[in-house]
Amino acid sequence: MATTKGHEEHLGHVVFITAAAAIGGFLFGYDSSVINGAVTGIQKHFGMGPGQTGFVVAIALLGSAVGAWFAGGLADRWGRTRTMQLAAALFAVSSIGQMLPFATWDLAAWRVLAGMAIGMASVLGPAYIAEVAPPAYRGRLGSFQQLAIVLGIAVSQLVNYLIAQVAGGDVNNRLWGLEAWQWMLGACFVPAALYFVFASVIPESPRFLVGVGRDDKARTVLSEVEGDDIDLDARIAEIRSVLRTERRQTLRDLRGPALGLLPIVWIGIILSVFQQLVGINVIFYYSSVLWQSVGIGQSSSLLISFSSSVINIIGTFIAIALVDKIGRKPLLLIGSAGMAISLAVASWAFSAAVEAGGRVTLPHPEGAIALVAANVFVLFFALSWGVVVWVLLGEMFPNRIRAIALSVAAAAQWLANWLITETFPSLSEWNLSLTYLGYAVFAALSFVFVTRWVRETRGRKLEEMG
């Protein structure tokens, strides 16, 4: 086993390749939340109601489920880095397509393609990082994926705000020949190109290299990420021993006695689903519309969305600092409790909304309480479920099913994300307060689930999972 000193000597290199791989997470966050600033412009441009709006916003998430479903198999066949390059190319092409739609169905089709790239990135990042990170640092390095996601969300909100300001505060105003919301959607091309470049220079996963018989290259990568003082031959033999018991992973490998699946697979699926049923992506997909619906102006709502993203980043740094110190399970429990309380408070505050002269507003002090509660919710999510679920999904499954199980769990997450995103416009129009109360109930249920069924994985080698 590598010593901590050996790990530290090579930590700089590991941090670089982890950060490069996590650019996919940045794109994941950027491309999935950029719609927040553009949704008002799309509604006005195409004359869409709440149902159509929910469809166009949420359709990308069905593409994400498809991308997540197939990403594990592609990564096992082609390698992690080559599959990352494919995801980057899909990101780039879909960004241009979303920027230049001529109808709602055309925009929806490009969003499906973007969603496929997002889904692939959601699987590839955690799997790759878990496979190259030394066990002593795997939790913190695995957190890079979520850090990149929240940075992508924040940057997208900031870019949206700046574009809206340049366009005079209205996203339907024209700017350099296009409406401002079109530039918001097209800006994702730049990080997509960077992702392709970095995916072309980082090393392949040593586990994949051993699996395809490239032991010399795997030995080189292991020495770079775990240190020269480890027994490289023993590490190669350990990985080969695990791989020898494996075959190409298929859905049949996930079969088990618990409603047709292995219990560990159900735990991964339910963790993924709970991460979405608390309603976190309502904040990042619809917060500009949400705050406008309770009387805040368009430009100010975009600025509030950016402030929520900054809080998201702060919470993520807290999680990175704690995930390898206090463990995965305690952080999840803290987050569940904090989210349940803050969502319940937000629900109470939204119940005070009043309509006068066709304009909905929140009176004082309920308006301020709603804003604080929503941001406290974001903070508790970020320091717990936002980071820890991705860390767990990258490390909790046995080697023999890791890629396919991660794909299934991520696909379930995207389906749950689609359900929340599709239903929020209609539910909020019906009763915003009860909608948030429902999210609070799911947060409370997540506390019960973690208490009973989630096992701690801190400090264990991937080969020990099972």
PDB file of all heavy atoms in Angstrom, residues 163-179:
ATOM      1  N   ILE A 163     -25.039  38.806 -19.760  1.00  0.00           N
ATOM      2  CA  ILE A 163     -25.633  38.924 -21.094  1.00  0.00           C
ATOM      3  C   ILE A 163     -26.935  39.722 -21.028  1.00  0.00           C
ATOM      4  O   ILE A 163     -27.202  40.586 -21.879  1.00  0.00           O
ATOM      5  CB  ILE A 163     -25.878  37.527 -21.704  1.00  0.00           C
ATOM      6  CG1 ILE A 163     -24.544  36.858 -22.062  1.00  0.00           C
ATOM      7  CG2 ILE A 163     -26.765  37.625 -22.960  1.00  0.00           C
ATOM      8  CD1 ILE A 163     -24.678  35.425 -22.559  1.00  0.00           C
ATOM      9  N   ALA A 164     -27.751  39.452 -19.994  1.00  0.00           N
ATOM     10  CA  ALA A 164     -29.010  40.194 -19.832  1.00  0.00           C
ATOM     11  C   ALA A 164     -28.737  41.675 -19.605  1.00  0.00           C
ATOM     12  O   ALA A 164     -29.455  42.539 -20.147  1.00  0.00           O
ATOM     13  CB  ALA A 164     -29.811  39.616 -18.674  1.00  0.00           C
ATOM     14  N   GLN A 165     -27.702  41.991 -18.827  1.00  0.00           N
ATOM     15  CA  GLN A 165     -27.371  43.394 -18.576  1.00  0.00           C
ATOM     16  C   GLN A 165     -26.922  44.094 -19.853  1.00  0.00           C
ATOM     17  O   GLN A 165     -27.343  45.219 -20.137  1.00  0.00           O
ATOM     18  CB  GLN A 165     -26.279  43.491 -17.510  1.00  0.00           C
ATOM     19  CG  GLN A 165     -26.735  43.126 -16.102  1.00  0.00           C
ATOM     20  CD  GLN A 165     -27.835  44.038 -15.607  1.00  0.00           C
ATOM     21  OE1 GLN A 165     -29.016  43.665 -15.597  1.00  0.00           O
ATOM     22  NE2 GLN A 165     -27.485  45.241 -15.202  1.00  0.00           N
ATOM     23  N   VAL A 166     -26.062  43.422 -20.631  1.00  0.00           N
ATOM     24  CA  VAL A 166     -25.601  44.005 -21.901  1.00  0.00           C
ATOM     25  C   VAL A 166     -26.769  44.216 -22.850  1.00  0.00           C
ATOM     26  O   VAL A 166     -26.796  45.179 -23.630  1.00  0.00           O
ATOM     27  CB  VAL A 166     -24.525  43.100 -22.543  1.00  0.00           C
ATOM     28  CG1 VAL A 166     -24.162  43.593 -23.942  1.00  0.00           C
ATOM     29  CG2 VAL A 166     -23.279  43.035 -21.670  1.00  0.00           C
ATOM     30  N   ALA A 167     -27.767  43.328 -22.754  1.00  0.00           N
ATOM     31  CA  ALA A 167     -28.937  43.420 -23.627  1.00  0.00           C
ATOM     32  C   ALA A 167     -29.995  44.385 -23.088  1.00  0.00           C
ATOM     33  O   ALA A 167     -31.111  44.440 -23.618  1.00  0.00           O
ATOM     34  CB  ALA A 167     -29.553  42.040 -23.823  1.00  0.00           C
ATOM     35  N   GLY A 168     -29.673  45.123 -22.015  1.00  0.00           N
ATOM     36  CA  GLY A 168     -30.617  46.104 -21.500  1.00  0.00           C
ATOM     37  C   GLY A 168     -31.572  45.558 -20.460  1.00  0.00           C
ATOM     38  O   GLY A 168     -32.615  46.176 -20.198  1.00  0.00           O
ATOM     39  N   GLY A 169     -31.247  44.399 -19.866  1.00  0.00           N
ATOM     40  CA  GLY A 169     -32.068  43.859 -18.788  1.00  0.00           C
ATOM     41  C   GLY A 169     -33.210  42.982 -19.227  1.00  0.00           C
ATOM     42  O   GLY A 169     -33.973  42.495 -18.392  1.00  0.00           O
ATOM     43  N   ASP A 170     -33.347  42.760 -20.521  1.00  0.00           N
ATOM     44  CA  ASP A 170     -34.435  41.913 -21.031  1.00  0.00           C
ATOM     45  C   ASP A 170     -33.824  40.857 -21.945  1.00  0.00           C
ATOM     46  O   ASP A 170     -33.166  41.188 -22.940  1.00  0.00           O
ATOM     47  CB  ASP A 170     -35.448  42.757 -21.807  1.00  0.00           C
ATOM     48  CG  ASP A 170     -36.715  41.989 -22.167  1.00  0.00           C
ATOM     49  OD1 ASP A 170     -36.619  40.770 -22.405  1.00  0.00           O
ATOM     50  OD2 ASP A 170     -37.797  42.601 -22.227  1.00  0.00           O
ATOM     51  N   VAL A 171     -34.062  39.581 -21.628  1.00  0.00           N
ATOM     52  CA  VAL A 171     -33.422  38.513 -22.384  1.00  0.00           C
ATOM     53  C   VAL A 171     -34.012  38.339 -23.780  1.00  0.00           C
ATOM     54  O   VAL A 171     -33.487  37.565 -24.582  1.00  0.00           O
ATOM     55  CB  VAL A 171     -33.489  37.166 -21.626  1.00  0.00           C
ATOM     56  CG1 VAL A 171     -32.720  37.259 -20.322  1.00  0.00           C
ATOM     57  CG2 VAL A 171     -34.924  36.729 -21.370  1.00  0.00           C
ATOM     58  N   ASN A 172     -35.098  39.026 -24.087  1.00  0.00           N
ATOM     59  CA  ASN A 172     -35.656  38.987 -25.439  1.00  0.00           C
ATOM     60  C   ASN A 172     -35.139  40.120 -26.316  1.00  0.00           C
ATOM     61  O   ASN A 172     -35.454  40.178 -27.515  1.00  0.00           O
ATOM     62  CB  ASN A 172     -37.181  39.017 -25.416  1.00  0.00           C
ATOM     63  CG  ASN A 172     -37.785  37.731 -24.904  1.00  0.00           C
ATOM     64  OD1 ASN A 172     -38.228  37.644 -23.760  1.00  0.00           O
ATOM     65  ND2 ASN A 172     -37.773  36.703 -25.741  1.00  0.00           N
ATOM     66  N   ASN A 173     -34.364  41.037 -25.732  1.00  0.00           N
ATOM     67  CA  ASN A 173     -33.753  42.086 -26.547  1.00  0.00           C
ATOM     68  C   ASN A 173     -32.696  41.485 -27.453  1.00  0.00           C
ATOM     69  O   ASN A 173     -32.050  40.493 -27.109  1.00  0.00           O
ATOM     70  CB  ASN A 173     -33.115  43.151 -25.652  1.00  0.00           C
ATOM     71  CG  ASN A 173     -34.149  44.019 -24.960  1.00  0.00           C
ATOM     72  OD1 ASN A 173     -35.321  44.037 -25.348  1.00  0.00           O
ATOM     73  ND2 ASN A 173     -33.723  44.745 -23.928  1.00  0.00           N
ATOM     74  N   ARG A 174     -32.502  42.105 -28.603  1.00  0.00           N
ATOM     75  CA  ARG A 174     -31.531  41.588 -29.568  1.00  0.00           C
ATOM     76  C   ARG A 174     -30.131  42.063 -29.224  1.00  0.00           C
ATOM     77  O   ARG A 174     -29.916  43.188 -28.770  1.00  0.00           O
ATOM     78  CB  ARG A 174     -31.907  42.000 -31.004  1.00  0.00           C
ATOM     79  CG  ARG A 174     -33.247  41.415 -31.436  1.00  0.00           C
ATOM     80  CD  ARG A 174     -33.485  41.561 -32.932  1.00  0.00           C
ATOM     81  NE  ARG A 174     -32.670  40.663 -33.729  1.00  0.00           N
ATOM     82  CZ  ARG A 174     -32.944  39.378 -33.912  1.00  0.00           C
ATOM     83  NH1 ARG A 174     -33.997  38.826 -33.348  1.00  0.00           N
ATOM     84  NH2 ARG A 174     -32.164  38.637 -34.670  1.00  0.00           N
ATOM     85  N   LEU A 175     -29.180  41.183 -29.468  1.00  0.00           N
ATOM     86  CA  LEU A 175     -27.786  41.440 -29.147  1.00  0.00           C
ATOM     87  C   LEU A 175     -26.930  40.780 -30.222  1.00  0.00           C
ATOM     88  O   LEU A 175     -26.939  39.552 -30.358  1.00  0.00           O
ATOM     89  CB  LEU A 175     -27.470  40.864 -27.759  1.00  0.00           C
ATOM     90  CG  LEU A 175     -26.113  41.162 -27.134  1.00  0.00           C
ATOM     91  CD1 LEU A 175     -25.987  42.660 -26.835  1.00  0.00           C
ATOM     92  CD2 LEU A 175     -25.937  40.359 -25.847  1.00  0.00           C
ATOM     93  N   TRP A 176     -26.216  41.576 -31.010  1.00  0.00           N
ATOM     94  CA  TRP A 176     -25.367  41.065 -32.089  1.00  0.00           C
ATOM     95  C   TRP A 176     -26.140  40.117 -33.013  1.00  0.00           C
ATOM     96  O   TRP A 176     -25.652  39.040 -33.392  1.00  0.00           O
ATOM     97  CB  TRP A 176     -24.131  40.362 -31.525  1.00  0.00           C
ATOM     98  CG  TRP A 176     -23.360  41.227 -30.579  1.00  0.00           C
ATOM     99  CD1 TRP A 176     -22.885  42.495 -30.811  1.00  0.00           C
ATOM    100  CD2 TRP A 176     -22.988  40.918 -29.242  1.00  0.00           C
ATOM    101  NE1 TRP A 176     -22.245  42.972 -29.705  1.00  0.00           N
ATOM    102  CE2 TRP A 176     -22.286  42.025 -28.725  1.00  0.00           C
ATOM    103  CE3 TRP A 176     -23.177  39.806 -28.417  1.00  0.00           C
ATOM    104  CZ2 TRP A 176     -21.773  42.063 -27.432  1.00  0.00           C
ATOM    105  CZ3 TRP A 176     -22.673  39.834 -27.127  1.00  0.00           C
ATOM    106  CH2 TRP A 176     -21.981  40.946 -26.652  1.00  0.00           C
ATOM    107  N   GLY A 177     -27.348  40.499 -33.374  1.00  0.00           N
ATOM    108  CA  GLY A 177     -28.121  39.764 -34.359  1.00  0.00           C
ATOM    109  C   GLY A 177     -29.014  38.664 -33.814  1.00  0.00           C
ATOM    110  O   GLY A 177     -29.839  38.114 -34.545  1.00  0.00           O
ATOM    111  N   LEU A 178     -28.857  38.314 -32.539  1.00  0.00           N
ATOM    112  CA  LEU A 178     -29.684  37.278 -31.921  1.00  0.00           C
ATOM    113  C   LEU A 178     -30.304  37.826 -30.639  1.00  0.00           C
ATOM    114  O   LEU A 178     -29.844  38.844 -30.111  1.00  0.00           O
ATOM    115  CB  LEU A 178     -28.847  36.037 -31.586  1.00  0.00           C
ATOM    116  CG  LEU A 178     -28.148  35.320 -32.743  1.00  0.00           C
ATOM    117  CD1 LEU A 178     -27.226  34.233 -32.195  1.00  0.00           C
ATOM    118  CD2 LEU A 178     -29.167  34.715 -33.704  1.00  0.00           C
ATOM    119  N   GLU A 179     -31.342  37.150 -30.140  1.00  0.00           N
ATOM    120  CA  GLU A 179     -31.880  37.537 -28.848  1.00  0.00           C
ATOM    121  C   GLU A 179     -30.923  37.072 -27.747  1.00  0.00           C
ATOM    122  O   GLU A 179     -30.188  36.094 -27.908  1.00  0.00           O
ATOM    123  CB  GLU A 179     -33.274  36.937 -28.650  1.00  0.00           C
ATOM    124  CG  GLU A 179     -34.300  37.548 -29.597  1.00  0.00           C
ATOM    125  CD  GLU A 179     -35.727  37.088 -29.314  1.00  0.00           C
ATOM    126  OE1 GLU A 179     -35.949  36.425 -28.275  1.00  0.00           O
ATOM    127  OE2 GLU A 179     -36.610  37.409 -30.126  1.00  0.00           O
TER     128      GLU A 179
END
